[in-house]
Amino acid sequence: MQNSLPFELIYLAIPLSCLAGAMLAGLLGWKIGRVGAHSVTIFGVATAFVLSAFVVLPDVLAGNTFNGPVYIWGVSGGIPLEVGFLIDPLTALMMVVVTFVSLMVHIYTIGYMRDDTGYQRFFSYIALFTFSMLMLVMSNNFLQLFFGWEAVGLMSYLLIGFWYTRDSATYAQLKAFLVNRVGDLGFLLGIAAIYMAFGTLDYAAVFAIAPQIAGKTIQVLPGVDWNIMTLICILLFIGAMGKSAQAPLHVWLPDSMEGPTPISALIHAATMVTAGVFMVARMSPLYELSETALSVVLVIGAITALFMAFVGMVQNDIKRVVAYSTLSQLGYMMVALGASAYSVGIFHLMTHAFFKALLFLAAGSVIIALHHEQDLRKMGGLKRRMPITFITTWIGSLALAGIPPFAGFFSKDMIIEAVHHSQLPGSGFAYFAVLVGVFVTAFYTFRMLFLTYYGKPRMDEHTLKHVEESPWVVTIPLILLAIPSLVTGFMFLDPLVFGGFFGESIKVLPEHDVVRQIAEQYAGLGPFIAHGLQSAPFLLAVGGIVTAWFMYVRLPHLPGRVREKAGVIYTLLLRKYFVDEFNEFVFAGGARAIGRLFWKIGDVKLIDGLAVNGTARMIGWVSSVIRHIQSGYVYHYAFAMILGLFLLITFFLHR
């Protein structure tokens, strides 16, 4: 462990440079103008990337790590409330991925948001989003982790509803906020359970004590014993289900497309949705002690990977196709984590960040060219008019489909192999899900590509005449993201998966070590690719691409016939399994019904009826009786005096 002061300052400078840019753009945006706003935020994020990639990462690879407090701002109940950093290989890799993708998004935003009145505000938000994610991945304690966790949720709320004058955007941001609160409640309970069981919130201390706690139980309900480690891990995973959009807490992510395209890329590629994946990988010393929790992660991930991919097949909004692919790929990452292949899950997180950001930004480039048209049915024939966007989309699509030598092939193949070797309950279903998902992913990805760039143009003549390639601030990020989408798979397979890159960052018990089993059969990059070209995943991917070409290029009338024949199945997929309707009826409707009940009984009957109006009626009745005594006649008052005197005499005589 190195603790040199210069490196502590460097660690601080990385998130604070993003925060400084955000504050300058947000508070002084009116003063520094548009150019000033994007300059300070891009400079801040670029500084964070350069320091992460060229200072921190090489230092970590040289064997230097850091774990300690940077600032203690209070002590409560013996718990130090501190800002602390854990800088190890896992953190360093995440820092590089987050800052690089964020930098590309910042540059891209100059072109995409150039005519927006909220230009400075948007740059402030995305820089603050990057700061929040960096604080999350760099934390060394659960309190700071929760701060970053909630901060990225807050920023997603602001960015999804950035165009707040749109009802759909306001609805989407509220939906994202509420669904994530469900997951965050589980996450907070998990942190509380950790403090109850371990007496500390420091990662290192918790991980050191964990083996001693593993066999202990707790009674959540009277007479029912729960394994405390299983309980903690499942509660933490509920938080990950919200942030990383796992079924059934996935419903917010497709609706997040209501935000501007740059934030769609940032959320889906490198920040919020990867937070849950990172958290489970970071907590590997805990998850390894509960096979039940690992099985839950495995099965939930498999369900998300398969069933969200099916929905992506019928989407007509170009951004929603990419959004459902994100849901499916997040499921793949969770499957890898559930199989204890944490290094493989993070490997796929990295490759996915590059090609998914590329696909989102390429979709945004098309949207710009078509004057903010997002319907695939109104596109087509763009490959010659937008050559850079077209080529980079091809690269991103091949990476997503898992075609060698593109990045997605290596990480996705490793996930499938890992699940195949897993012996955990649910691994059989997970293997089936990820295999079928390969075909479906390739199909919907190339369906989107063929509908966008091939065939006859389906937009109106005015739009067609003005279609042209996007400006350089849009195309340069596409090119820079296309490069890692092509090369990171074969470049980083050996070091990240088989080379022990993560070291002590990740803990895997020998009986769960599926990566070691794969490594025993691994003979190098060349044989791996050769074997992949003969394997079922590659054949399924090619089958998906060919099917999409046949249906949308060769015989474009065929999808209509399939839709007619599919009937109920097509409706089921188009309505996203009616999950939104279920939530609207059961949860939203139930909440409204409870609200009406409290209103009618509590407010109308008890408060207004009994307390307020009842009191008024009581006072009115008493007044109506008493007023007869105040008649103004002397003989009435004399009679009252005589009656009173009689009662007093009677009282005193009979004491």
Side-chain angles (χ1 to χ4, degrees), residues 324-336:
Y324 276 99
S325 82
T326 300
L327 285 170
S328 181
Q329 297 307 305
L330 287 167
Y332 274 86
M333 296 175 208
M334 288 298 180
V335 166

Side-chain angles (χ1 to χ4, degrees), residues 84-376:
F85 292 149
L86 171 57
I87 309 298
D88 60 6
L90 176 59
T91 302
L93 180 66
M94 288 295 299
M95 289 164 66
V96 173
V97 171
V98 169
T99 52
F100 177 72
V101 173
S102 179
L103 179 59
M104 296 300 102
V105 169
H106 275 71
I107 297 170
Y108 178 93
T109 300
I110 297 173
Y112 193 90
M113 300 292 289
R114 61 187 175 186
D115 298 322
D116 199 281
T117 55
Y119 190 86
Q120 294 98 314
R121 178 166 58 93
F122 189 83
F123 271 98
S124 176
Y125 285 176
I126 57 176
L128 198 55
F129 204 169
T130 308
F131 161 77
S132 303
M133 189 65 186
L134 286 171
M135 290 298 290
L136 188 155
V137 301
M138 294 172 71
S139 63
N140 75 337
N141 62 85
F142 286 94
L143 189 65
Q144 187 176 324
L145 174 69
F146 189 71
F147 163 78
W149 196 265
E150 292 301 310
V152 294
L154 172 63
M155 298 317 303
S156 71
Y157 171 81
L158 295 174
L159 285 161
I160 293 170
F162 182 78
W163 289 321
Y164 53 84
T165 55
R166 299 181 182 178
D167 289 341
S168 57
T170 305
Y171 177 81
Q173 72 174 167
L174 184 62
K175 187 175 182 179
F177 188 82
L178 291 175
V179 173
N180 272 279
R181 294 293 72 72
V182 175
D184 292 353
L185 176 61
F187 191 64
L188 186 59
L189 290 173
I191 293 174
I194 286 172
Y195 179 65
M196 180 193 71
F198 296 88
T200 179
L201 294 177
D202 182 76
Y203 288 170
V206 170
F207 297 159
I209 303 170
Q212 305 167 28
I213 305 292
K216 295 185 177 180
T217 60
I218 185 175
Q219 285 194 359
V220 181
L221 298 172
V224 181
D225 290 329
W226 285 66
N227 181 286
I228 193 164
M229 195 59 65
T230 298
L231 178 65
I232 288 171
C233 290
I234 289 177
L235 286 172
L236 292 177
F237 181 63
I238 291 172
M241 287 171 65
K243 280 290 179 287
S244 292
Q246 299 296 291
L249 301 182
H250 68 280
V251 293
W252 68 269
L253 194 61
D255 286 4
S256 70
M257 298 300 99
E258 291 294 334
T261 299
I263 196 54
S264 300
L266 197 55
I267 288 177
H268 287 243
T271 54
M272 184 167 168
V273 297
T274 60
V277 178
F278 165 79
M279 185 275 295
V280 175
R282 174 61 78 198
M283 300 301 137
S284 60
L286 304 183
Y287 279 88
E288 285 298 290
L289 299 173
S290 173
E291 287 195 354
T292 302
L294 287 175
S295 286
V296 169
V297 175
L298 183 70
V299 172
I300 294 293
I303 291 171
T304 306
L306 180 61
F307 289 96
M308 295 304 106
F310 283 141
V311 178
M313 296 170 65
V314 301
Q315 296 299 306
N316 294 314
D317 185 307
I318 188 171
K319 286 174 64 177
R320 286 184 180 263
V321 175
V322 186
Y324 276 99
S325 82
T326 300
L327 285 170
S328 181
Q329 297 307 305
L330 287 167
Y332 274 86
M333 296 175 208
M334 288 298 180
V335 166
L337 300 176
S340 292
Y342 303 100
S343 59
V344 177
I346 298 298
F347 181 37
H348 193 57
L349 183 155
M350 180 189 72
T351 60
H352 173 264
F354 299 132
F355 63 71
K356 185 52 54 72
L358 171 60
L359 286 173
F360 263 115
L361 298 187
S365 178
V366 171
I367 293 168
I368 294 171
L370 299 181
H371 306 292
H372 294 276
E373 178 59 68
Q374 297 182 198
D375 194 332
L376 290 167

Side-chain angles (χ1 to χ4, degrees), residues 448-652:
M448 175 191 70
L449 188 145
F450 292 142
L451 285 174
T452 304
Y453 297 100
Y454 290 81
K456 295 180 180 178
R458 295 180 297 277
M459 68 287 295
D460 61 79
E461 286 295 325
H462 175 75
T463 302
L464 183 61
K465 286 180 181 178
H466 292 84
V467 172
E468 59 183 10
E469 186 61 91
S470 300
W472 67 267
V473 289
V474 171
T475 55
I476 285 181
L478 296 181
I479 296 168
L480 293 176
L481 284 166
I483 296 170
S485 299
L486 175 60
V487 304
T488 51
F490 58 79
M491 284 183 63
F492 293 103
L493 174 64
D494 279 351
L496 291 189
V497 179
F498 301 116
F501 172 88
F502 294 104
E504 297 298 314
S505 304
I506 289 170
K507 304 283 187 183
V508 184
L509 296 180
E511 59 267 29
H512 297 157
D513 199 351
V514 294
V515 175
R516 179 182 53 80
Q517 298 175 40
I518 300 171
E520 292 173 355
Q521 306 169 4
Y522 181 70
L525 196 61
F528 182 88
I529 296 174
H531 176 266
L533 292 172
Q534 306 170 44
S535 64
F538 174 73
L539 297 175
L540 287 167
V542 172
I545 295 171
V546 172
T547 305
W549 175 84
F550 193 75
M551 292 181 66
Y552 293 96
V553 179
R554 186 71 178 87
L555 297 173
H557 63 278
L558 190 58
R561 293 184 181 179
V562 173
R563 260 192 317 270
E564 292 174 4
K565 297 291 183 183
V568 176
I569 297 174
Y570 179 78
T571 303
L572 183 66
L573 295 178
L574 193 63
R575 301 297 293 272
K576 298 163 286 188
Y577 310 110
F578 295 93
V579 175
D580 283 332
E581 286 81 359
F582 177 81
N583 289 337
E584 179 67 29
F585 180 77
V586 175
F587 295 111
R592 288 194 296 269
I594 293 171
R596 282 194 298 269
L597 183 66
F598 278 116
W599 166 58
K600 289 184 176 179
I601 295 177
D603 193 32
V604 175
K605 293 187 180 297
L606 294 178
I607 297 174
D608 285 344
L610 186 61
V612 179
N613 296 331
T615 303
R617 283 193 293 270
M618 176 68 74
I619 292 172
W621 179 80
V622 172
S623 301
S624 66
V625 173
I626 293 176
R627 70 183 176 86
H628 293 292
I629 301 174
Q630 301 292 334
S631 63
Y633 294 106
V634 175
Y635 64 86
H636 284 172
Y637 300 146
F639 176 76
M641 292 170 65
I642 293 168
L643 181 61
L645 185 61
F646 173 76
L647 293 173
L648 285 171
I649 292 171
T650 304
F651 174 75
F652 284 110

